[in-house]
């Protein structure tokens, strides 16, 4: 039995589906169902007895202590977080609460659970914390990619809150001997990606005939990883990662934002052509994100050498699959786009006109 937190969000739900497809081991899925959590992502496993969904907060110690005592998981995988940089700029408070305070509460619960295990149970237990490359800050165009020894230099309230949680996780290993693992991953994309993030937002806006907002000059670089490759990396780290270690995970796919947007437009031109013109005609350069990090890039040598993990998807194949998934699942997108999501979109982009 494993306990996954945030398993109704984008990466968490992909992980749960991937886990149930590959592993004969039940999952307890604890998710608060914030605006980003969506049980429709888990529709295909709704009747699977190996998937036990619990709605709740990782910061609710009573609930988490009860789940640990009842299910006795051999691993806890923590995806639960506030994850959108723009939202953290508009309102950092939820990020401090969830990513720092609630992660601390979760660590306390797991520490107590670990202390109560017999020696064999203690040796087997793992707490895997899913983090981001953004904790390392921003790279210049010529800088080497981030490795696990880079200094932390987070620039947004989101990345600062994730950095704080990484430090707490590290401290619980060094101080209390908690068998933790941390993964720092680059930008994911793929099915069930919430349409506030660049790739799904561009697909949705393009099909709706709306403008495709590119922040600043569109020259910022991200290292894109297909979400299923990330799920495989987490399984590899859980299986054979060394407690106390961190592992960088990346796709070897550095792309400028404008290049990503143009690629999506070209795919849509091929799969869902407009009556006239190209979707690229809808591109609009808008006011930049404050403190916008210029470039992220991951050096994944450690996970490749130690655990034999390599991404299987190229950007070309992954983005093609992703665009087709969104074309085939437009109902999912529209169901996600409820009132609160639209209010957020209106306020974010009004300021960029
Ligand atoms: P997401 O926003 O899509 O999903 C987050 C999930 O966590 C949601 O289901 C939400 O309901 C749940 N949640 C939020 N607060 C909670 C709480 N207090 N208790 C329980 N559940 C709560 O995020 P995502 O993009 O799937 O990211 C998952 C994790 O991976 C995050 O920790 C994020 O920092 C990290 N990460 C994301 C990316 C990326 O590109 N998306 C890259 C690297 C790392
Ligand atoms: O690097 C990993 C991180 O990737 C994760 O930790 C975060 O949880 C995840 O949200 C993502 O952060 P980014 O800020 O890189 O992702 P986002 O999709 O918001 O933006 C990608 C790039 O596109 C970024 O340079 C900002 C730009 N952008 C974004 C939006 C939403 C635009 O140009 N226009 C937009 O409308």
């Amino acid at each position: 039995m494993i306990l996954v937190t945030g398993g109704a969000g984008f990466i968490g739900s992909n992980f749960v589906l991937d886990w149930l497809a590959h592993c004969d081991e039940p999952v307890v899925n604890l998710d608060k169902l914030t605006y980003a959590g969506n049980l429709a992502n888990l529709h295909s496993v709704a009747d699977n007895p190996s998937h036990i969904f619990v709605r709740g907060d990782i910061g609710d110690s009573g609930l988490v202590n009860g789940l640990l005592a009842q299910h006795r998981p051999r691993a806890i995988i923590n995806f639960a977080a506030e994850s959108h940089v723009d939202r953290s700029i508009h309102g950092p408070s939820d990020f401090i609460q969830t990513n720092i305070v609630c992660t601390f509460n979760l660590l306390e619960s797991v520490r107590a659970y670990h202390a109560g295990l017999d020696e064999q149970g203690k040796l087997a237990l793992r707490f895997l914390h899913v983090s981001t490359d953004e904790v390392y800050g921003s790279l210049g165009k010529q800088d080497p990619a981030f490795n696990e020894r880079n200094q932390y230099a987070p620039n947004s309230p989101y990345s600062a809150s994730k950095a704080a949680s990484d430090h707490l996780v590290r401290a619980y290993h060094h101080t209390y001997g908690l068998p933790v693992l941390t993964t720092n991953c680059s930008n994911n994309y793929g099915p069930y990606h919430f349409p506030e993030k660049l790739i799904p937002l561009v697909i949705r806006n393009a099909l709706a005939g709306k403008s495709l907002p590119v922040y600043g000059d569109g020259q910022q670089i991200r290292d894109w990883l297909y979400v299923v490759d990330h799920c495989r990396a987490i399984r590899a780290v859980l299986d054979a990662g060394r407690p106390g270690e961190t592992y960088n995970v990346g796709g070897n796919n550095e792309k400028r934002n404008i290049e990503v947007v143009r690629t999506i437009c070209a795919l849509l031109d091929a799969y869902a052509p407009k009556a006239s013109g190209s979707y690229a005609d809808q591109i609009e350069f808008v006011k930049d994100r404050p403190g916008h990090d210029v470039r992220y890039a991951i050096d994944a040598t450690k996970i490749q050498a130690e655990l034999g993990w390599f991404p299987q998807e190229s950007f070309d194949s992954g983005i093609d699959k992703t665009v087709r998934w969104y074309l085939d699942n437009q109902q999912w997108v529209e169901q996600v786009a409820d009132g609160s999501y639209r209010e957020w979109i209106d306020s974010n982009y009004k300021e960029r006109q």
Side-chain angles (χ1 to χ4, degrees), residues 181-199:
L181 299 153
T182 299
T183 53
N184 292 90
C185 187
S186 63
N187 286 62
N188 285 217
Y189 67 103
Y192 306 116
H193 203 181
F194 196 85
E196 64 185 349
K197 309 279 170 66
L198 179 70
I199 288 179

Side-chain angles (χ1 to χ4, degrees), residues 83-86 132-134 158 185-187 196-199 201 213-215 220 222 224 257 289 292 296 349:
S83 70
H84 189 33
V85 173
D86 289 322
T132 169
D133 58 359
E134 300 202 11
Y158 163 68
C185 187
S186 63
N187 286 62
E196 64 185 349
K197 309 279 170 66
L198 179 70
I199 288 179
L201 182 121
V214 175
Y215 295 171
Q220 299 79 14
R222 298 291 183 265
W224 293 96
N257 290 341
R289 171 185 281 176
H292 199 169
Y296 306 139
Y349 292 98

Side-chain angles (χ1 to χ4, degrees), residues 80-102:
E82 289 293 332
S83 70
H84 189 33
V85 173
D86 289 322
R87 282 183 192 259
S88 84
I89 294 167
H90 285 248
S93 171
D94 285 348
F95 289 73
I96 305 306
Q97 184 60 31
T98 289
N99 298 359
I100 306 178
V101 178
C102 293

Side-chain angles (χ1 to χ4, degrees), residues 4-14 29-39 41 53-60 78-84 94 97-99 102-103 129-134 158 162 165 183-189 192-194 196-197 223-225 227 230 234 249:
V4 165
T5 73
F10 163 46
I11 306 174
S13 61
N14 274 284
N29 182 355
L30 172 64
D31 196 297
K32 189 177 171 181
L33 296 183
T34 68
Y35 79 94
N38 184 357
L39 282 179
N41 303 2
F53 182 80
V54 179
R55 184 174 191 180
D57 193 319
I58 56 166
D60 181 344
N78 184 33
F79 293 94
E82 289 293 332
S83 70
H84 189 33
D94 285 348
Q97 184 60 31
T98 289
N99 298 359
C102 293
T103 305
H129 180 60
V130 180
S131 191
T132 169
D133 58 359
E134 300 202 11
Y158 163 68
K162 289 297 289 188
S165 66
T183 53
N184 292 90
C185 187
S186 63
N187 286 62
N188 285 217
Y189 67 103
Y192 306 116
H193 203 181
F194 196 85
E196 64 185 349
K197 309 279 170 66
D223 175 1
W224 293 96
L225 179 71
V227 63
H230 187 190
I234 291 170
V249 185

